[in-house]
């Protein structure tokens, strides 16, 4: 006897049992009706809607994707920075091991990437200090002791960073930094050109609260003198101010930007950024904190600079800070009887900005480093 069908076409039903009533066989079945098929139908519908939403999202992202080379580079840089905060510590340690500039029995010198904090803090998921034990094992074997920080760089600063293999050596290097025996050279791209082209900025720095719509704290200048009716007048010193001295030299310039070499004699927080922005009126490209004292907002750039960079002002917030720890010169230490000069090539985004702004890279620096070769290697 053929199995009965439910109202839904194409669905065949089988009998579960039979019983005899009044001499006739009556089929007792549990049919698959349309209501039973509803969950599957709804599932397929949700899946189709989800696929359509994903397709639309991909289409929107494609439309919003940066088109110019620099916009693509900034987009990649932002994505890379975010990924550095999300990767497994082993992956980050591996990336740092590839950027080792020098290592000996006392020191390990790395190339610090952009956007990677040195220490932990609020909102920091991963930092350099977290992966020092892993990095030591990758470089020196599973029995190696964790590496030790000798100094620090800001999260947005790239370049030379010194680590020590033993705590005692780390303390010795830290003392060299504290007593200003380590020569440091930074390279920065500035908005506008410092006048004069070489000199020394010797203005104390202190931290102050900025009153406004969004109250925040910034480092700022605390000069010992001010102008009063055209006369130079000495003011009362701020007890919270720190002595800050920066030597600078313009390496290359155009009408609206410059490549500047900076040698901080002291090591105050954000010293280079404050001296350039508030002391010389030439903020560092991508310095969204110190380009304007009164507010926290993306750096305002001239139409000419934006055109060269291939950016709109609305996208300027993605510009990274163009400050690079170019060179450290360490005096003799331990078994090493000679000074150690450590040079780190520029990150790729920095080189690209130099090219777009028509700033010339020195073919060789004072130590004979072939910078042109580094450019080709990029």
């Amino acid at each position: 006897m053929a199995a009965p069908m439910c109202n839904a076409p194409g669905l065949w039903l089988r009998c579960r049992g039979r019983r005899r009533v009044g001499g006739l066989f009556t089929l007792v079945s549990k049919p698959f009706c349309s209501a039973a098929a509803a969950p599957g139908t709804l599932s397929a519908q949700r899946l189709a809607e989800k696929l359509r939403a994903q397709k639309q999202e991909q289409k929107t992202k494609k439309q919003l994707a940066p088109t110019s080379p620099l916009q693509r580079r900034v987009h990649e840089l932002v994505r890379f920075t975010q990924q550095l905060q999300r990767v497994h510590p082993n992956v980050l340690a591996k990336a740092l091991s590839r950027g080792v500039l020098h290592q000996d029995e006392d020191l390990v010198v790395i190339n610090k990437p952009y956007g990677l904090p040195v220490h932990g803090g609020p909102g920091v998921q991963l930092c350099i200090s977290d992966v020092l034990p892993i990095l030591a094992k990758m470089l020196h074997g599973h029995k190696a002791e964790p590496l030790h920080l000798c100094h620090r760089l800001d999260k947005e600063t790239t370049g030379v960073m010194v680590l020590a293999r033993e705590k005692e050596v780390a303390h010795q290097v830290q003392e060299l930094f504290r007593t200003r025996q380590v020569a440091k050279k930074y390279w920065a791209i500035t908005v506008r050109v410092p006048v004069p082209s070489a000199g020394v900025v010797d203005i104390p720095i202190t931290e102050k609260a900025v009153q406004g719509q969004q109250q925040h704290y910034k480092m700022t200048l605390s000069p010992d003198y001010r102008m009063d009716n055209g006369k130079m007048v000495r003011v009362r010193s701020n007890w919270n101010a720190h002595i800050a001295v920066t030597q600078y030299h313009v390496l290359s310039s155009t009408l609206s930007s410059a490549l500047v070499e900076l040698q901080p004699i002291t090591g105050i927080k954000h010293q280079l950024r404050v001296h350039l922005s508030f002391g010389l009126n030439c903020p560092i490209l991508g310095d969204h904190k110190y380009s304007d004292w009164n507010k926290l907002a993306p750096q305002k750039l001239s139409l000419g600079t934006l055109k060269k960079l291939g950016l709109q002002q609305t996208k300027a917030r993605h510009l990274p800070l163009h400050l690079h720890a170019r060179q450290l010169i360490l005096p003799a230490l331990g078994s090493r009887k000679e000074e150690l000069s450590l040079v780190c090539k520029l990150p790729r985004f920095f080189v690209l900005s130099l090219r777009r702004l028509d700033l010339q890279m020195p073919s060789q620096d004072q130590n004979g480093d072939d910078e042109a070769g580094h450019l080709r290697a990029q």
Side-chain angles (χ1 to χ4, degrees), residues 65-76 309-312 315 352 356:
T67 55
S68 73
L70 184 58
Q71 285 177 318
R72 287 197 297 270
R73 175 56 55 198
V74 171
H75 180 75
E76 291 171 3
L309 293 173
L311 287 175
Q312 297 177 348
K315 301 297 183 181
L352 182 58
R356 282 187 163 266

Side-chain angles (χ1 to χ4, degrees), residues 1 29 53 88 110 136 139 197 207 216 265 341 345 351:
M1 185 176 181
S29 63
H88 191 277
I110 62 173
L139 296 175
S197 61
E207 188 173 32
H216 57 284
I265 309 303
S341 177
K345 67 180 182 179
V351 175

Side-chain angles (χ1 to χ4, degrees), residues 28-48:
V28 180
S29 63
K30 187 175 181 180
F32 291 101
C33 63
S34 57
T41 305
L42 292 177
S43 245
Q45 184 178 357
R46 284 197 298 269
L47 179 60

Side-chain angles (χ1 to χ4, degrees), residues 204 223-228 231-238:
D224 294 328
Y225 294 86
R226 63 179 174 85
M227 296 298 294
D228 187 6
K231 295 182 179 180
M232 188 78 72
V233 179
R234 186 176 179 86
V235 297
R236 185 175 181 179
S237 299
N238 186 337

